[in-house]
Amino acid sequence: LAVSYLVQMLSVLYGVLLVVATYKQALRTIATHTTLSSLDFIPLGPAYVIVPVSLFFMSMAMLLDIRKVRKGQSPLFKEESPTG
């Protein structure tokens, strides 16, 4: 049980680190007005914003999933036998 909590918390921490790093990259891309090289009228900023937002929701889902670890219902730790 303790190992399951540790793994879940490390996953959440890794997700948070990815959110911070991609958020900084998005801010840098927006600040420098980076555009697509082949079509220089298409800004890359909006595309770079989608990544940290998605990673934030992933991290929140994993954080909420910690409650299910104790009951053994977390999808991260399910033991399923192969079908066939």
Side-chain angles (χ1 to χ4, degrees), residues 5-23:
Y5 278 119
L6 179 66
V7 169
Q8 190 82 347
M9 287 306 298
L10 287 175
S11 299
V12 170
L13 281 172
Y14 184 66
V16 169
L17 288 174
L18 287 175
V19 169
V20 171
T22 55
Y23 177 72

Side-chain angles (χ1 to χ4, degrees), residues 11-78:
S11 299
V12 170
L13 281 172
Y14 184 66
V16 169
L17 288 174
L18 287 175
V19 169
V20 171
T22 55
Y23 177 72
K24 287 181 179 181
Q25 182 66 31
L27 289 180
R28 189 177 309 119
T29 302
I30 292 169
T32 59
H33 304 289
T34 305
T35 58
L36 195 60
S37 62
S38 58
L39 302 168
D40 60 350
F41 60 90
I42 299 178
L44 288 177
Y48 274 66
V49 170
I50 293 170
V51 176
V53 170
S54 302
L55 287 171
F56 172 77
F57 285 121
M58 178 208 60
S59 297
M60 290 297 107
M62 288 192 310
L63 192 60
L64 291 173
D65 191 52
I66 289 177
R67 294 180 293 164
K68 295 180 182 179
V69 170
R70 175 173 288 170
K71 299 174 189 173
Q73 297 173 343
S74 174
L76 187 61
F77 303 109
K78 282 191 178 179

Side-chain angles (χ1 to χ4, degrees), residues 78-84:
K78 282 191 178 179
E79 293 182 24
E80 297 178 2
S81 61
T83 58

